Amino acid sequence: MSLPASEVPRTPAGPAGAGGQRMRAIDTLLADRGQLFQALFLSAPIPKALVQLDGHILVANPMLCALSGRTADELSGRHVDLFAHPDDPPVADLGLVAAPGEPASLDPNLLLDGERRLRRSDGTELWVVQSHEIVRRNDGEAQFVVLSLVDVTDRRRAEEDLVRRAFTDPLTGLPNRRALTDRLRHAVALSRRRGLQVGLVHLNIDRFKAVNDSLGHEAGDLLLSQVADRLRWSTRVEDTAVRLGADEFLVVAEDVEDLDGLRALADRLLAVLDEPFVVQDREINLSASVGLTLGSDTTPDDLLRQAQSALTRAKADGSRARIEVHEGALTRGDVDALQLETDLRHALDNEELRLFYQPIVHLGDETLLGYEALVRWEHPTRGLLPPAAFLDAAENNRLTSKLGAWVLRRACNDAATWPEELRVHVNVSARHLAEEGFSELVAAALAESGLAPHRLELEITESTALFAAEATLHSVAVVTDQGVTLALDDFGTGYSAITALHRLPIHTVKIDRSFVADVVTEPSTAALVQGLLQLGRGMGLQVIAEGIEDLDQADWLLRHGCAMAQGYAFGRPAPLPNPAEVFIGEMTDAPAEDVAGELLPEDRETPPLPQQRSEPTLRTTDLDDTGAFATGALLDDSAEPDEH
């Protein structure tokens, strides 16, 4: 790149000495400035490239090769957009304009001076400060561009780390209270544009101080981290879980249509927290009290105050796992539902619950085999309520376990007065089954009533069996070891009937009434029911068909080998005012046609009742936690009048 001798300016003659030596040195440098430029360029401690005006690289110095992860040959001839990060918008779309005096044809990638994000050849991200300088010929025409890229990745990451620490809770990694303000302001503004609402779920861990006092603060910190992880995994992408401090968390839910949607989110979070935590090899069960609020035409600060107010009410009476809603977010229907929840809390103390019983018979000779216990609520002002009318209230108040315990004890006490050949079926919710102490509750109910364990059958839903957690599997193992049997309700309606049968030691399956209703008229349903019957018999299970209402259904089921039945044809759910002397005596002593009517021809072959299969043993793999278990129906999840 040396200039011709005719273009090198000459230095006028001057006095000898230091001044003359300096001028001769300048003459020498100017005479060979190409070599000087090359030496400075290649040895520069900053990544540099000589680039054509159209953005193609002529030559890169060693520092740029190291920065980009490519050799000089790999870079030569490539366009500088090779360095651009794929997640950033194209530079051509930024509307950059060349500065005065710079050629208008200069590539936009060369005009992007300042801090920008690039990508190395291995895909890693880096940040640089870019600058460019135009090198001109002697006549002033732009010849090429010197592009400089100063690596500032470490500084950038340090700054991002400081920002992250300022807005992140150091223990859980969740956003903190400072980050909540910006997030909530953004959510409120977005909800107004979309015509939806923002919901807040304010959670406070119940009795967390007891964990710190008994296990120490280190264990408490580990527990809070696990709680944060579950909240993070259980929220939608558009929701934000925040740790407010100590044992308080808050979830900002965007695009909420109504209070039911927010309640569903709160129920899901509480169900996730129901799963036992393991800290320092100890299993810990937690619950949380919750305050809910919903709105869009309010300020973020007002929403936070409303959620805090609702949470304060939830914890006011010292109860645990209670959900309260800010009154301003409630409609008249919501207020009515809340009143029902309040009434339900007193129903047990006021002896307002009742048990109705529906008979289970042998199809062949219509012999009475037992009863299914179904709960009713004798409300003081609303009359007799079926389970569908108050199950949601029980879930919202976390009363499923308390109601389940009452039903179990009452059913065992009633059944103890029946003839010894009759059994009682009791529905159990997934949440109750997984709670600590359930197996002890069953043992106590049997001991108090004197009922033989083999006369008690617990009914669970298919989803409960399929998604059962370790705590559920353990409870089942304990109660079945006592001699209690297990029935799978609504058989065939869930995710995988066969998987459910293998997960738990099932003794009985109950074919759902929706199949029985169409078994005569729908060939596809008939084929399905026939397959379920064959599956049950092949596995040595007892099979009960639910919802039988007429002769045709009973006759079809009998012909295809179904031995046991339940439905309106044999009796509707009814109370037993004096089960030992009145109702059961009438049922067992009365002729079969008085019990079920003339349903079956006398010459019909009677399928035998299968014997109980050998005691199943739970494998180690069966005790693996498969995730959050589904919440099953409390006791009788069918609404009148479809209940059979």
Side-chain angles (χ1 to χ4, degrees):
M1 298 181 63
S2 302
L3 295 176
S6 60
E7 296 184 11
V8 178
R10 297 298 180 185
T11 304
Q21 293 176 358
R22 183 170 61 250
M23 297 307 294
R24 286 194 296 273
I26 292 175
D27 285 345
T28 303
L29 291 174
L30 289 176
D32 201 14
R33 66 178 185 178
Q35 294 182 11
L36 174 63
F37 181 87
Q38 182 178 2
L40 293 175
F41 174 80
L42 295 177
S43 62
I46 297 174
K48 291 180 177 290
L50 293 181
V51 185
Q52 291 179 330
L53 301 183
D54 62 1
H56 287 84
I57 299 172
L58 293 171
V59 62
N61 74 352
M63 292 298 294
L64 182 59
C65 294
L67 180 72
S68 65
R70 295 175 173 87
T71 65
D73 290 339
E74 290 172 337
L75 291 175
S76 180
R78 300 290 298 275
H79 196 276
V80 291
D81 62 7
L82 172 72
F83 302 138
H85 197 284
D87 294 340
D88 290 340
V91 176
D93 296 343
L94 299 180
L96 300 176
V97 179
E102 292 186 338
S105 61
L106 200 61
D107 188 273
N109 286 275
L110 302 176
L111 299 175
L112 192 61
D113 287 352
E115 196 166 291
R116 63 177 302 194
R117 182 170 58 161
L118 304 181
R119 187 174 68 167
R120 288 171 49 87
S121 61
D122 59 4
T124 56
E125 178 182 285
L126 60 108
W127 287 88
V128 300
V129 173
Q130 174 176 307
S131 61
H132 75 283
E133 183 179 359
I134 297 177
V135 178
R136 302 176 183 275
R137 291 187 171 88
N138 289 343
D139 59 4
E141 180 185 359
Q143 185 176 7
F144 52 80
V145 174
V146 178
L147 184 68
S148 301
L149 303 174
V150 179
D151 188 0
V152 294
T153 304
D154 291 341
R155 175 181 63 77
R156 177 79 182 208
R157 288 175 179 171
E159 292 174 352
E160 290 176 347
D161 186 57
L162 289 175
V163 173
R164 184 168 54 251
R165 291 186 181 187
F167 291 95
T168 303
D169 175 59
L171 176 63
T172 64
L174 293 178
N176 59 13
R177 186 183 293 271
R178 181 180 296 179
L180 173 63
T181 302
D182 291 337
R183 182 61 179 170
L184 192 52
R185 186 182 297 111
H186 168 79
V188 169
L190 192 63
S191 68
R192 289 172 180 166
R193 291 197 297 270
R194 294 178 175 176
L196 296 171
Q197 301 183 83
V198 176
L200 297 187
V201 182
H202 195 168
L203 303 100
N204 180 252
I205 306 301
D206 295 324
R207 299 181 61 202
F208 180 74
K209 184 176 182 298
V211 176
N212 275 339
D213 293 343
S214 59
L215 300 181
H217 289 279
E218 182 179 355
D221 288 348
L222 292 174
L223 186 58
L224 288 174
S225 295
Q226 292 186 34
V227 169
D229 287 340
R230 294 192 187 184
L231 294 180
R232 185 185 292 111
W233 299 334
S234 305
T235 52
R236 303 172 302 171
V237 175
E238 60 267 32
D239 298 339
T240 303
V242 178
R243 186 190 179 202
L244 296 180
D247 55 357
E248 290 191 22
F249 297 84
L250 186 135
V251 175
V252 180
E254 295 186 13
D255 296 348
V256 180
E257 293 186 0
D258 51 31
L259 188 58
D260 289 339
L262 189 61
R263 280 185 179 275
L265 172 60
D267 286 337
R268 183 168 74 249
L269 296 178
L270 291 182
V272 168
L273 296 181
D274 275 342
E275 290 283 351
F277 294 82
V278 178
V279 176
Q280 296 178 346
D281 297 327
R282 296 189 61 173
E283 191 173 273
I284 299 173
N285 291 288
L286 286 184
S287 62
S289 298
V290 178
L292 302 179
T293 191
L294 191 66
S296 59
D297 297 326
T298 185
T299 66
D301 288 342
D302 286 341
L303 277 177
L304 289 173
R305 281 193 292 268
Q306 293 168 8
Q308 178 63 57
S309 175
L311 177 61
T312 301
R313 289 204 315 276
K315 299 182 72 70
D317 62 355
S319 60
R320 300 170 60 188
R322 183 173 176 83
I323 298 177
E324 284 286 350
V325 183
H326 174 65
E327 293 179 355
L330 300 178
T331 64
R332 173 171 294 186
D334 296 325
V335 173
D336 185 62
L338 286 178
Q339 183 60 51
L340 187 67
E341 294 176 16
T342 302
D343 294 344
L344 184 58
R345 297 182 67 83
H346 303 292
L348 287 168
D349 297 333
N350 297 337
E351 298 183 352
E352 296 170 2
L353 296 182
R354 306 283 183 266
L355 277 190
F356 280 31
Y357 292 92
Q358 186 172 29
I360 300 171
V361 302
H362 185 259
L363 258 180
D365 55 12
E366 298 158 5
T367 301
L368 184 65
L369 301 173
Y371 293 94
E372 180 179 356
L374 305 169
V375 69
R376 299 291 186 270
W377 180 9
E378 190 73 52
H379 193 279
T381 60
R382 307 186 189 200
L384 188 66
L385 300 179
F390 59 88
L391 280 183
D392 286 343
E395 288 287 345
N396 292 338
N397 269 311
R398 319 290 279 176
L399 289 176
T400 52
S401 300
K402 192 174 182 180
L403 288 177
W406 180 88
V407 171
L408 182 62
R409 286 194 169 95
R410 178 59 60 87
C412 288
N413 284 325
D414 287 348
T417 65
W418 304 345
E420 292 185 357
E421 66 271 14
L422 298 183
R423 296 160 55 83
V424 63
H425 291 233
V426 178
N427 291 272
V428 181
S429 72
R431 177 175 293 165
H432 194 192
L433 188 61
E435 284 191 354
E436 183 179 0
F438 177 80
S439 56
E440 289 81 359
L441 171 65
V442 174
L446 293 172
E448 292 168 5
S449 63
L451 184 70
H454 72 273
R455 296 181 58 197
L456 172 63
E457 186 149 280
L458 302 178
E459 294 192 8
I460 62 173
T461 62
E462 195 170 302
S463 58
T464 300
L466 186 61
F467 298 111
E470 182 177 349
T472 302
L473 296 173
H474 177 73
S475 291
V476 167
V478 173
V479 297
T480 53
D481 284 345
Q482 297 172 2
V484 176
T485 55
L486 204 64
L488 191 63
D489 200 9
D490 303 332
F491 185 52
T493 61
Y495 298 88
S496 174
I498 297 177
T499 301
L501 292 176
H502 281 289
R503 293 209 74 215
L504 293 172
I506 302 297
H507 172 266
T508 304
V509 292
K510 301 183 75 173
I511 299 177
D512 187 69
R513 58 179 53 86
S514 62
F515 299 137
V516 173
D518 299 329
V519 73
V520 177
T521 58
E522 294 290 339
S524 59
T525 302
L528 174 61
V529 173
Q530 189 171 0
L532 294 177
L533 288 169
Q534 292 174 352
L535 175 63
R537 290 197 305 270
M539 298 185 68
L541 302 172
Q542 294 191 355
V543 182
I544 301 175
E546 295 184 291
I548 297 178
E549 297 184 351
D550 56 41
L551 171 64
D552 292 337
Q553 294 169 353
D555 184 64
W556 189 96
L557 288 163
L558 186 64
R559 284 189 288 108
H560 289 84
C562 183
M564 305 169 69
Q566 181 180 354
Y568 282 176
F570 306 99
R572 294 173 179 266
L576 296 180
N578 191 350
E581 300 175 3
V582 183
F583 191 72
I584 292 182
E586 292 175 356
M587 292 292 288
T588 55
D589 296 337
E593 59 270 17
D594 293 341
V595 178
E598 296 182 359
L599 291 178
L600 310 174
E602 292 183 359
D603 58 350
R604 177 72 65 207
E605 181 180 354
T606 301
L609 287 175
Q611 299 298 314
Q612 182 175 353
R613 60 178 177 173
S614 59
E615 282 297 322
T617 56
L618 290 178
R619 299 164 294 179
T620 302
T621 53
D622 290 333
L623 295 177
D624 292 340
D625 187 357
T626 59
F629 57 85
T631 300
L634 169 61
L635 296 165
D636 167 27
D637 55 0
S638 302
E640 304 260 11
D642 296 330
E643 180 192 61
H644 296 161

